[in-house]
Amino acid sequence: MIQDKIKNKTVLKIPEYSPKGIEQAVDLFEKEANKFNDAKFLVYWDPDIDGLFAGYIVEEFLKLLGLYNSNFKYVLNQQRKHGFFLTDEALANLKGYTIIAVDFSITKEDFDRILKAGINLINIDHHEIDIKNYTKLDREYVYSKCGDVKGIILNNQYESEPNEFKFLSGAGMVYYFLKAVAERFDLELPKDFEALVGITLLSDIRVIESAEARAFLLKTFISKSDYIKYLHWLILPEKNINAKRFNPFGMPDGFNRDLIDYNFSPIINSLLRANKGMLAVELLRKNQSVISYLKDNDTIFTYREIQKKIVAAIAEKVKENENIPGSLTRKLSTMVICCLESTFEPIPGYDITNYIGVACSKIKDEDKVGVIFVIDEETGMSKRGSFRGSLDGVNYLDIFKRNGVPAAGHQNAFGILECKVSEINFEKIDEEIRLAEEEYRKSHTETRTVIKVPDLGAFFRDPHSDMIALINAMSRDSHRIFIKYTGPIEKIKPDLNVNSTKFARYKVDDVTVTSFDVSLDIVNSYMLIMYENQEYKKITLRPSFEIEECESETTELNKKLSSIS
């Protein structure tokens, strides 16, 4: 197995972490759990992949404790709405329950409503939070009592939380909460949970270059659990025509970054955007009737096709509207702004507001951010807005909020709440973004590490290459480790059996090297070594780029791997 090839096992060790308030949160859970058959839990899921897995692992843990009983309830918002939307009437019927709300922030108003209704609350989140909005107490986290009930918010974005754990997803925070509960009950968490957290770190676009994040990602890749295999099978097309449509080079066998980014996340998210969130929940639960419905004739892929058509229609609308004098749709120096009428419906029955997030990524240029609003024509108010940034390290959210725009989410990907779009000073925001990006680029020169390798065969057989191939399988391109061949040119042998204008293949020291760009050869490019599945590592060619060179393939490589580990 792949983990047997990795000499440094510390890279696979999940780090220890205790969020602020964890003891009170575990106490609150334990008090309800000790009611056994009379325990009343409600799990409030969030409608994205992170929120789905966060809710799923809470449910699975309740089953482990025998608490998935007739009192159990769950909530998933429709229309991909993030937040708490239970009415006072609904809360009145939940008196005596303990709500576990995951992957979204509960506002102070809703926090108070829940407690006043006689309901305990454990809110577990990873989005930006301002503790001053909740309490004036000299405390580092939100915790409050109302009579006999209590409420607590676990959040890794509190100012006092360690920076090395700010990368965690919502499911990652839930993992550490459940881990603490499991220790209280003298239980072991299912190993699946670690692998599922790794999926959410990629689907939720977290900062994943730290050793702490990498431990979860590697658990995802090396997992051989039945559940991970099931998730992989879900998105495997049953018909070759669909396989070609969604991935012309075939589907990877392992649950690696490419599979998650280009197959798993888009397919599951397309269900949520089509307002089929309940189907997504039942898929995770392995509901056989839902599995049969979505897998029969590859029905699961039809929602992705619908999404592609809607996003293409939005992109076309941007081109149409940006040239209209006085239009709110326009391009500034750093921004592409798109305003859509609420009546715009490219495909009948599918709400355009559910697709503006993914469309933002489509409309923004390589060096521009994207902003989309859906506007009510009569009032001029935005029904919903979405933003996607171009640089991970720039806090775009803070810039918008500083300029009076009601927004919530992550610093480079967030939603915009109801507002009068015509009153937003986009020119001022544009200038602030320009300055922030300029400052970031000055202090963060993106380089990639390249290792010089004179003997490709010896390198390929070295255990160090297994570590590099594993890391590369779960890393962003800018943090991967590349190879520069420095051996004799005469060792490079083109595969004459390949007769294609789309790809080429070479042999070097009996190692196969593939290029999907025929303009690249081993001399004018770099190599990327990567595990495609748990048994097979491959080498492909990539174009040249600015590099941070390792002077040798031995001592410098060891230093690099030590810093990564």
Side-chain angles (χ1 to χ4, degrees), residues 298-360:
D298 291 334
T299 301
I300 192 171
F301 297 106
T302 61
Y303 298 103
R304 189 177 183 186
E305 288 292 281
I306 289 168
Q307 176 176 295
K308 286 182 176 180
K309 291 176 182 177
I310 292 174
V311 170
I314 292 174
E316 189 61 34
K317 199 73 172 175
V318 172
K319 293 179 182 178
E320 290 177 14
N321 290 355
E322 67 181 355
N323 296 319
I324 300 175
S327 172
L328 291 172
T329 296
R330 60 196 188 278
K331 288 186 179 181
L332 300 179
S333 66
T334 69
M335 306 169 71
V336 178
I337 305 164
C338 174
C339 293
L340 304 169
E341 302 87 352
S342 58
T343 54
F344 181 55
E345 194 178 42
I347 298 180
Y350 291 88
D351 189 340
I352 191 70
T353 65
N354 290 338
Y355 295 88
I356 59 176
V358 65
C360 272

Side-chain angles (χ1 to χ4, degrees), residues 256-272:
N256 64 14
R257 180 179 179 83
D258 288 344
L259 183 89
I260 294 168
D261 280 355
Y262 303 118
N263 294 281
F264 185 80
S265 290
I267 290 168
I268 301 302
N269 274 326
S270 69
L271 283 174
L272 294 166

Side-chain angles (χ1 to χ4, degrees), residues 9-17 165 175-176 179 191 194-195 197 211-219:
K9 305 298 184 187
T10 59
V11 298
L12 302 176
K13 183 176 175 58
I14 300 298
E16 295 296 324
Y17 170 55
F165 289 98
Y175 168 84
Y176 280 105
K179 187 171 183 288
K191 292 299 182 184
E194 298 169 348
V197 170
E212 291 81 8
R214 187 172 284 114
F216 284 105
L217 293 169
L218 299 188
K219 291 287 188 181

Side-chain angles (χ1 to χ4, degrees), residues 10 91 104 153 243 296 399 421 531 536:
T10 59
L91 290 178
F104 68 91
I153 300 178
D296 184 37
I399 293 173
V421 179
Y531 269 106
Y536 172 64

Side-chain angles (χ1 to χ4, degrees), residues 24 38 82 115 131 148 161 164 173 197 202-203 255 276 358 360 377 392 400 426 433 469 473 515 541:
Q24 288 89 337
D38 293 325
H82 302 284
L115 268 58
I131 194 171
D148 294 331
E161 290 287 349
E164 57 265 33
M173 284 297 292
V197 170
L202 296 174
S203 68
F255 226 80
K276 305 294 182 183
V358 65
C360 272
E377 299 92 316
D392 289 344
F400 272 73
F426 286 111
I433 288 176
S515 175
L541 295 184

Side-chain angles (χ1 to χ4, degrees), residues 14-45:
I14 300 298
E16 295 296 324
Y17 170 55
S18 294
K20 299 291 189 299
I22 191 69
E23 287 299 318
Q24 288 89 337
V26 173
D27 288 344
L28 196 51
F29 181 96
E30 184 180 23
K31 182 179 178 180
E32 189 67 39
N34 284 339
K35 298 176 184 177
F36 301 107
N37 290 336
D38 293 325
K40 296 179 179 179
F41 284 102
L42 182 148
V43 179
Y44 205 125
W45 303 44

